[in-house]
Amino acid sequence: MKNLLNAVNPKNRKQTERLNSRQVPNNAGGFAYALSNEGRLTRFLVLGTESGTFYAGERAQTLQATDFVRELVQRDAATALRVTLEVVRGRTPKTDPALLVLALIAKTAPDVAHRQAA
């Protein structure tokens, strides 16, 4: 019985095995819990993509982040603008990611008011 319990114990699972349906594939070939859109945008604004990560190079990470921001602006430009302005106030070491988000909002947001605000 002990061996059966060890087989289903989440602590004994490998990173490459999905624990539940809330997990999504990550760049390491395993699974992780997904962030909300606001959390993902905040991470991009604070950390940026400079020098990449252990599992993704700078270019790949930048393309992935830019695609995400474009989709977010099309779906919810108001949230993208609000989060960007909140995070920029004292939480970002560099302004490049915020400038990219504001430029995408100014150029591609479906609503004229959001484009003007950016």
Side-chain angles (χ1 to χ4, degrees), residues 37-103:
N37 287 337
E38 289 185 27
R40 197 167 166 194
L41 180 59
T42 300
R43 178 182 285 178
F44 170 67
L45 291 167
V46 172
L47 299 177
T49 58
E50 202 169 280
S51 73
T53 66
F54 188 76
Y55 296 106
E58 180 178 343
R59 179 170 167 69
Q61 194 175 6
T62 301
L63 290 173
Q64 189 178 33
T66 305
D67 289 342
F68 162 72
V69 171
R70 275 193 191 117
E71 291 171 14
L72 180 61
V73 167
Q74 290 302 309
R75 280 184 282 131
D76 193 0
T79 299
L81 185 60
R82 179 183 53 78
V83 170
T84 302
L85 294 177
E86 285 174 2
V87 172
V88 166
R89 292 186 183 115
R91 291 178 53 192
T92 57
K94 296 185 178 182
T95 58
D96 290 350
L99 291 174
L100 174 66
V101 174
L102 291 173

Side-chain angles (χ1 to χ4, degrees), residues 11-26:
K11 292 180 182 178
N12 294 335
R13 293 220 182 154
K14 297 178 183 175
Q15 180 187 5
T16 56
E17 296 177 20
R18 186 177 292 202
L19 288 176
N20 60 43
S21 61
R22 295 181 309 152
Q23 290 187 319
V24 295
N26 64 17

